[in-house]
């Protein structure tokens, strides 16, 4: 469900989308808050799809796939050792410039509207790119009622670009995804490991909420 939405969004806003490959423990079930998991997966996939399309826009041939690997806890859960679900989302979207890593999980930073792709000059990466950092403006950019220069105006404008929403540009996708992933504690969370100029691995570790069952989310 999340992948289908992101694919449609990428096709509508970027003109194309990479293929999604699922691997690992595909039959695993996991009790979790569905809306939290859907938000986390959607935001990470949006970044991976956009990075892949932008990084390979001049390359001939098909786009490299985005690979999602699922691994569930193999040990019997207990109060001292809760069950976990681990998800890795791997793309070949150019990675993250070292200069931008400090801003990756900062609120109000985005790449939408930045110029160019990966910096051709080296490691600064300040000219834009799939994961470059660009401030939306001000302290949360809260302005007047007209929406001009305000955070509300940014959200409204980006949301109206397509009937589906925005694939990037608001600056809160990754920070909120990480917040949701760590919300229930127990060592859960979201980490990003880049290979600059090649791609990015995002690792999501979620703690089971109730071992008696729960809703499942279709990736």
């Amino acid at each position: 469900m999340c992948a289908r939405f992101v694919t449609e969004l990428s096709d509508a806003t970027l003109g194309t989308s990479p293929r999604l490959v699922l691997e690992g423990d595909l039959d695993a079930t996991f009790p979790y808050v569905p809306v939290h998991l859907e938000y986390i997966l959607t935001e990470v996939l949006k970044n991976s799809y956009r990075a892949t399309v932008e990084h390979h826009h001049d390359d001939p041939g098909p786009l490299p796939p985005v690979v999602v690997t699922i691994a569930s806890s193999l040990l019997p859960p207990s109060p001292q050792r809760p069950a976990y679900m681990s998800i890795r989302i791997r793309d070949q979207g150019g990675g993250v410039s070292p200069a931008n890593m400090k801003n990756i999980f900062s609120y109000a930073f985005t790449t939408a509207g930045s110029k160019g792709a990966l910096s051709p000059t080296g490691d600064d990466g300040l000219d834009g790119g799939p994961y470059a950092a660009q401030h939306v403006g001000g302290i949360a950019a809260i302005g007047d009622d007209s929406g001009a220069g305000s955070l509300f105006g940014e959200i409204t404008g980006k949301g109206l670009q397509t009937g589906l929403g925005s694939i990037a540009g608001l600056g809160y996708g990754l920070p909120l995804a990480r917040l949701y992933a760590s919300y229930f504690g127990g060592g859960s969370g979201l980490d990003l490991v880049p290979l600059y100029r090649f791609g990015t691995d995002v690792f999501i570790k979620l703690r089971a909420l109730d071992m008696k069952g729960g809703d499942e989310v279709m990736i």
Side-chain angles (χ1 to χ4, degrees), residues 75-147:
L75 296 174
S78 67
Q80 294 77 29
R81 186 181 58 242
Y84 286 92
M85 175 73 76
S86 298
I87 303 172
R88 182 188 66 194
I89 299 178
R90 169 173 289 175
D91 66 61
Q92 297 181 37
V96 184
S97 165
N100 291 324
M101 277 301 299
K102 64 181 181 296
N103 295 318
I104 284 299
F105 293 106
S106 298
Y107 291 92
F109 281 86
T110 180
T111 65
S114 59
K115 298 179 180 179
L118 288 175
S119 170
T121 59
D123 293 335
D124 58 356
L126 299 179
D127 294 330
Y131 288 94
Q134 181 181 355
H135 203 275
V136 171
I139 301 176
I142 299 175
D144 56 28
D145 295 343
S146 67

Side-chain angles (χ1 to χ4, degrees), residues 25 28-33 72-85 206-216:
D25 192 357
T29 59
F30 186 70
Y32 205 71
V33 179
S72 60
S73 173
L74 297 178
L75 296 174
S78 67
Q80 294 77 29
R81 186 181 58 242
Y84 286 92
M85 175 73 76
L206 304 173
R207 180 180 181 272
L209 301 184
D210 179 8
M211 294 312 300
K212 294 181 181 180
D215 294 325
E216 300 176 27

Side-chain angles (χ1 to χ4, degrees), residues 5-218:
F5 169 76
V6 175
T7 296
E8 293 175 355
L9 184 58
S10 179
D11 288 338
T13 56
L14 303 175
T16 186
S17 58
R19 183 170 56 96
L20 184 80
V21 176
L22 287 175
E23 62 181 23
D25 192 357
L26 302 184
D27 295 326
T29 59
F30 186 70
Y32 205 71
V33 179
V35 67
H36 287 194
L37 185 54
E38 289 171 4
Y39 181 85
I40 295 167
L41 293 176
T42 297
E43 290 303 319
V44 175
L45 287 174
K46 281 165 60 176
N47 282 348
S48 291
Y49 274 49
R50 177 181 170 232
T52 300
V53 172
E54 292 188 354
H55 188 60
H56 294 275
H57 71 282
D58 288 331
D59 295 348
L63 295 170
V66 172
V67 181
V68 178
T69 306
I70 302 171
S72 60
S73 173
L74 297 178
L75 296 174
S78 67
Q80 294 77 29
R81 186 181 58 242
Y84 286 92
M85 175 73 76
S86 298
I87 303 172
R88 182 188 66 194
I89 299 178
R90 169 173 289 175
D91 66 61
Q92 297 181 37
V96 184
S97 165
N100 291 324
M101 277 301 299
K102 64 181 181 296
N103 295 318
I104 284 299
F105 293 106
S106 298
Y107 291 92
F109 281 86
T110 180
T111 65
S114 59
K115 298 179 180 179
L118 288 175
S119 170
T121 59
D123 293 335
D124 58 356
L126 299 179
D127 294 330
Y131 288 94
Q134 181 181 355
H135 203 275
V136 171
I139 301 176
I142 299 175
D144 56 28
D145 295 343
S146 67
S150 68
L151 180 61
F152 179 78
E154 293 279 352
I155 295 174
T156 303
K158 295 298 182 182
L160 292 177
Q161 286 181 359
T162 72
L164 298 170
S166 175
I167 197 167
L170 304 182
Y172 57 73
L174 275 180
L176 281 182
R178 188 182 222 187
L179 183 64
Y180 275 123
S182 61
Y183 186 78
F184 295 105
S188 56
L190 186 154
D191 294 298
L192 186 148
V193 180
L195 294 174
Y196 185 44
R197 295 192 177 277
F198 181 79
T200 302
D201 285 2
V202 176
F203 294 92
I204 304 166
K205 184 178 181 181
L206 304 173
R207 180 180 181 272
L209 301 184
D210 179 8
M211 294 312 300
K212 294 181 181 180
D215 294 325
E216 300 176 27
V217 176
M218 293 179 59

